[in-house]
Amino acid sequence: MQKPPQPQDFALKETSPNIGAGSITGDKLSCAYDLVEQMQYLYVRVVKAKDLPAKDVTGSCDPYVEVKLGNYKGVTRHFEKKSNPEWNQVFAFSKDRLQASFLEAVVKDKDVVLDDFMGRVLFDLVDIPKRIPPDSPLAPQWYRLEDRKGVKVKGELMLAVWMGTQADEAFPDAWHSDAATVGPEGVNNIRSKVYLSPKLWYVRVNVIEAQDLLPNDKSRYPEVFVKVMHGNQVLRTRISQSKSINPMWNEDLMFVAAEPFEESLFLTVEDRVGSGKDEILGKCVIALQNVQRRLDHKPVNTRWFNLEKHMIIDGEQKKDIKFASRIHLRICLDGGYHVLDESTHYSSDLRPTAKQLWKSSIGILEVGVLSAMGLMPMKTKDGRGTTDAYCVAKYGQKWVRTRTIVDSFNPKWNEQYIWEVFDPCTVITMGVFDNGHIHGGDKGGKDSKIGKVRIRLSTLEADRVYTHSYPLLVLHPSGVKKTGEIQLAVRFTCSSLINMLHMYSHPLLPKMHYIHPLSVIQLDSLRHQAMQIVSMRLSRAEPPLRKEVVEYMLDVDSHMWSMRRSKANFFRIMGVLSGLIAVGKWLDQICNWKNPLTTILIHVLYIILVLYPELILPTIFLYLFLIGIWNFRWRPRHPPHMDTRLSHADAAHPDERDEEFDTFPTSRPSDIVRMRYDRLRSIAGRVQTVVGDLATQGERFQSLLSWRDPRATTLFVTFCLIAAIVLYVTPFQVVALLAGIYVLRHPRFRHKLPSAPLNFFRRLPAKSDSML
């Protein structure tokens, strides 16, 4: 089924940025950063000062340095009462915005009313040297301070000044002239950073049995279960079938834990004494640092743990008393699984937790985040719209965050990152966000999403540089909106083609997922917990990768009900089945002799294949080979991107979009909820009817031999006996030939009415008669 193309504004556009990759005249010295455009910066490293003159009454000074270049001014922190301060701060001024011919570094004394001038150092921009990595960093030098007339004064300042690019080691931690309006408290929130997801483990707690429990009420049989808590994850066993003081369960409970292990397993044995009333019979705490780690399915050793009784003494004071009760457990950290922390459709990593099981990498992925264009204003400042954009990319355990470009709708990042690739059938996700925390005190603000892009590595040709501008599309309650475009350069380099092709024969997930599979419900619950742990850990980094950013990148809400997604998935199924439907229509045309010449050729081909059945499989595979070669001419030449038509984002009803953005549980008025519930019931009714029809057809097949309809079964059994005798004495090729000619017979030998076998099948009974 050919879907109509999406609007040109939402389409992918090929670009030709001025990057080193593939360029013959490109700068050979910049080959390490060949997927981004070179950006020139003037770097100033202010190291320290000495012998500064006293300015205060106390005979000391509170020095700081002001680095000025035209209208741009960078300021170091100041020191209290120190004449030999050390700053070691770097300032970067974009060459595109240089409006002066001199650089000025002024040492000042911090004062209550007016800061005192202590001296300065001037540099002519023409004389500043150029540094290109991998050259060693430029050694800072001592410069004697001068007054405003150029006369030497007391005090010296150690500086290093050079021209460089964003490939310079000093670039990530430098103060940027692009962010001159950001105060010192917000500078940390705009720097580029690399983050690593915490190492996640599945914790398997096999609760076997307990012994010598002491229930408070000894006149009744205890109904005992075990509750295990780890952080905010709480799981419990079923109530033991052996209602005694020595209950047995033999149940597995699975949790997600992250290294370093900050929280222990808290286990309680409880007695269900009444409806909604549980009594604690004992508890124990197990530190995960001491738990055995396993790499395969071999069982680990079991252990008995003593239970502690919780008692209240004198009304308030609490005391833990050890007693004879104990519990039998088998606990391990399962390193043979891959802990799913993202949507399975967009997984960027499929390796097991234990590093000992990792295979060698098959290549590297390089991404140049060049720029964004036409971003929408995401917030209002001083009465006008503004956007402070940064980009986040996630692949495997490595997250990268570009620096924030302040107050720009067309930011240029030109930052390049690299990842190791262990499986080509993985996806890299890149999102663009508006920084809501650059002014320090804005604690309650959130980083707004601008849009994201996903690229599946298996759709990329090896060693080819893809330079495209991707539309940033976000679905709002009012409809789908294009919030801008992001320009990327992507290159997937394969280190071993044989290894990569061999990967296609391997299972997607580690073998433990198939030897000891987890249920779908378990996996969903564990994935949710893993996502929460990752977002919590990354939000505690410095600067934090905020919870809303991590959740948007990991598609936390992808499992929620959406009418739009349901329709899109239905039409995706129809698109898959459209090929079979087209073949069915073509066969119908052949059978009805719409084109007599084609039908005669099919007759000839069919007779040849029946007479020479050994040609059937070679013919099928040759046909598929020719189709593949024919389609090679129209193969996709660009990576996939967000498709509004495929997603049904542009055709969704406003109420359907409002339902998709509703909270869980709902926050809408009761009349709207009732209307949506009724709509859902009507859809479910249609689904129910289809499922019932499928069940009916299956039950009719079963009733052929079940004697539910004795006359029908008699007819079928008799037919089977006659067919067995006829087929035994008749060569199979003759039967196949006659059957084929009968199916392909001319329309004048056909009837409008259904055939006798179909009539017979439709008359067979089903269990629908017994449904209430």
Side-chain angles (χ1 to χ4, degrees), residues 535-651:
S535 65
M536 184 188 71
R537 288 286 178 94
L538 292 177
S539 66
R540 284 161 46 189
E542 194 59 45
L545 200 58
R546 308 207 173 262
K547 187 172 185 283
E548 61 271 16
V549 173
V550 176
E551 290 185 348
Y552 181 60
M553 294 289 288
L554 294 178
D555 284 286
V556 167
D557 59 347
S558 61
H559 65 286
M560 297 297 288
W561 158 258
S562 162
M563 180 72 79
R564 174 188 63 82
R565 281 201 199 104
S566 301
K567 285 182 179 177
N569 288 335
F570 172 76
F571 282 106
R572 283 172 63 200
I573 290 173
M574 293 307 296
V576 171
L577 297 177
S578 62
L580 295 175
I581 294 168
V583 170
K585 289 180 178 176
W586 177 75
L587 283 174
D588 185 61
Q589 289 177 351
I590 296 295
C591 294
N592 286 299
W593 293 68
K594 297 287 184 187
N595 187 332
L597 181 61
T598 306
T599 305
I600 291 168
L601 288 174
I602 293 296
H603 273 81
V604 172
L605 177 64
Y606 181 74
I607 292 168
I608 292 170
L609 291 177
V610 168
L611 295 177
Y612 302 97
E614 63 273 12
L615 295 178
I616 294 174
L617 286 178
T619 302
I620 292 171
F621 284 114
L622 180 64
Y623 181 64
L624 293 175
F625 168 77
L626 293 174
I627 290 175
I629 295 299
W630 178 259
N631 288 342
F632 181 77
R633 296 167 57 194
W634 294 283
R635 69 192 184 279
R637 300 295 294 164
H638 55 75
H641 64 289
M642 302 295 184
D643 192 328
T644 53
R645 288 279 160 85
L646 181 70
S647 311
H648 272 250
D650 52 353

Side-chain angles (χ1 to χ4, degrees), residues 8 28 527:
Q8 186 62 33
K28 291 181 182 177
R527 184 187 296 115

Side-chain angles (χ1 to χ4, degrees), residues 384-654:
R384 64 182 184 84
T386 180
T387 297
D388 307 313
Y390 67 92
C391 180
V392 174
K394 195 259 184 208
Y395 183 76
Q397 293 181 325
K398 179 178 170 183
W399 300 65
V400 299
R401 168 183 175 155
T402 68
R403 70 191 188 284
T404 300
I405 306 297
V406 179
D407 193 14
S408 174
F409 298 133
N410 300 292
K412 290 187 177 181
W413 294 289
N414 284 304
E415 296 182 29
Q416 185 168 337
Y417 297 96
I418 185 168
W419 286 267
E420 271 192 299
V421 177
F422 294 87
D423 193 315
C425 302
T426 46
V427 175
I428 181 170
T429 304
M430 281 158 286
V432 183
F433 300 89
D434 173 61
N435 196 329
H437 299 81
I438 61 172
H439 300 295
D442 190 14
K443 299 290 183 189
K446 286 191 172 184
D447 290 359
S448 307
K449 60 189 181 188
I450 298 177
K452 69 180 166 190
V453 173
R454 296 190 205 100
I455 300 174
R456 184 170 290 275
L457 270 60
S458 59
T459 63
L460 303 177
E461 295 175 21
D463 300 315
R464 179 186 162 192
V465 177
Y466 290 84
T467 53
H468 290 89
S469 182
Y470 295 80
L472 295 170
L473 305 173
V474 176
L475 189 66
H476 289 282
S478 56
V480 66
K481 287 184 180 176
K482 181 180 176 182
T483 52
E485 296 179 9
I486 182 170
Q487 191 177 1
L488 301 172
V490 181
R491 177 171 57 208
F492 172 43
T493 307
C494 172
S495 55
S496 170
L497 181 62
I498 300 297
N499 285 351
M500 186 170 73
L501 294 176
H502 185 51
M503 284 296 297
Y504 281 86
S505 66
H506 288 195
L508 266 177
L509 293 167
K511 65 180 183 181
M512 277 293 285
H513 286 267
Y514 306 98
I515 296 171
H516 274 194
L518 302 172
S519 69
V520 174
I521 295 172
Q522 261 185 321
L523 282 173
D524 279 344
S525 173
L526 292 169
R527 184 187 296 115
H528 177 72
Q529 294 298 336
M531 286 175 173
Q532 297 302 317
I533 290 172
V534 170
S535 65
M536 184 188 71
R537 288 286 178 94
L538 292 177
S539 66
R540 284 161 46 189
E542 194 59 45
L545 200 58
R546 308 207 173 262
K547 187 172 185 283
E548 61 271 16
V549 173
V550 176
E551 290 185 348
Y552 181 60
M553 294 289 288
L554 294 178
D555 284 286
V556 167
D557 59 347
S558 61
H559 65 286
M560 297 297 288
W561 158 258
S562 162
M563 180 72 79
R564 174 188 63 82
R565 281 201 199 104
S566 301
K567 285 182 179 177
N569 288 335
F570 172 76
F571 282 106
R572 283 172 63 200
I573 290 173
M574 293 307 296
V576 171
L577 297 177
S578 62
L580 295 175
I581 294 168
V583 170
K585 289 180 178 176
W586 177 75
L587 283 174
D588 185 61
Q589 289 177 351
I590 296 295
C591 294
N592 286 299
W593 293 68
K594 297 287 184 187
N595 187 332
L597 181 61
T598 306
T599 305
I600 291 168
L601 288 174
I602 293 296
H603 273 81
V604 172
L605 177 64
Y606 181 74
I607 292 168
I608 292 170
L609 291 177
V610 168
L611 295 177
Y612 302 97
E614 63 273 12
L615 295 178
I616 294 174
L617 286 178
T619 302
I620 292 171
F621 284 114
L622 180 64
Y623 181 64
L624 293 175
F625 168 77
L626 293 174
I627 290 175
I629 295 299
W630 178 259
N631 288 342
F632 181 77
R633 296 167 57 194
W634 294 283
R635 69 192 184 279
R637 300 295 294 164
H638 55 75
H641 64 289
M642 302 295 184
D643 192 328
T644 53
R645 288 279 160 85
L646 181 70
S647 311
H648 272 250
D650 52 353
H653 190 274

Side-chain angles (χ1 to χ4, degrees), residues 581-736:
I581 294 168
V583 170
K585 289 180 178 176
W586 177 75
L587 283 174
D588 185 61
Q589 289 177 351
I590 296 295
C591 294
N592 286 299
W593 293 68
K594 297 287 184 187
N595 187 332
L597 181 61
T598 306
T599 305
I600 291 168
L601 288 174
I602 293 296
H603 273 81
V604 172
L605 177 64
Y606 181 74
I607 292 168
I608 292 170
L609 291 177
V610 168
L611 295 177
Y612 302 97
E614 63 273 12
L615 295 178
I616 294 174
L617 286 178
T619 302
I620 292 171
F621 284 114
L622 180 64
Y623 181 64
L624 293 175
F625 168 77
L626 293 174
I627 290 175
I629 295 299
W630 178 259
N631 288 342
F632 181 77
R633 296 167 57 194
W634 294 283
R635 69 192 184 279
R637 300 295 294 164
H638 55 75
H641 64 289
M642 302 295 184
D643 192 328
T644 53
R645 288 279 160 85
L646 181 70
S647 311
H648 272 250
D650 52 353
H653 190 274
D655 183 66
E656 292 173 5
R657 289 195 298 265
D658 182 68
E659 183 182 24
E660 188 169 339
F661 283 90
D662 192 6
T663 56
F664 188 85
T666 182
S667 57
R668 297 295 185 263
S670 58
D671 55 335
I672 293 178
V673 174
R674 187 182 297 112
M675 180 270 290
R676 288 174 181 169
Y677 175 63
D678 290 340
R679 181 176 64 198
L680 206 56
R681 284 175 67 191
S682 67
I683 294 169
R686 288 198 287 273
V687 172
Q688 173 184 287
T689 303
V690 171
V691 172
D693 289 343
L694 289 173
T696 297
Q697 306 311 320
E699 287 164 358
R700 283 175 175 162
F701 271 109
Q702 289 178 337
S703 65
L704 283 170
L705 295 170
S706 68
W707 296 92
R708 170 58 59 187
D709 181 341
R711 284 167 291 279
T713 305
T714 303
L715 284 170
F716 183 69
V717 168
T718 306
F719 168 77
C720 289
L721 178 62
I722 295 168
I725 295 168
V726 170
L727 291 173
Y728 183 76
V729 299
T730 311
F732 177 76
Q733 288 173 310
V734 173
V735 174

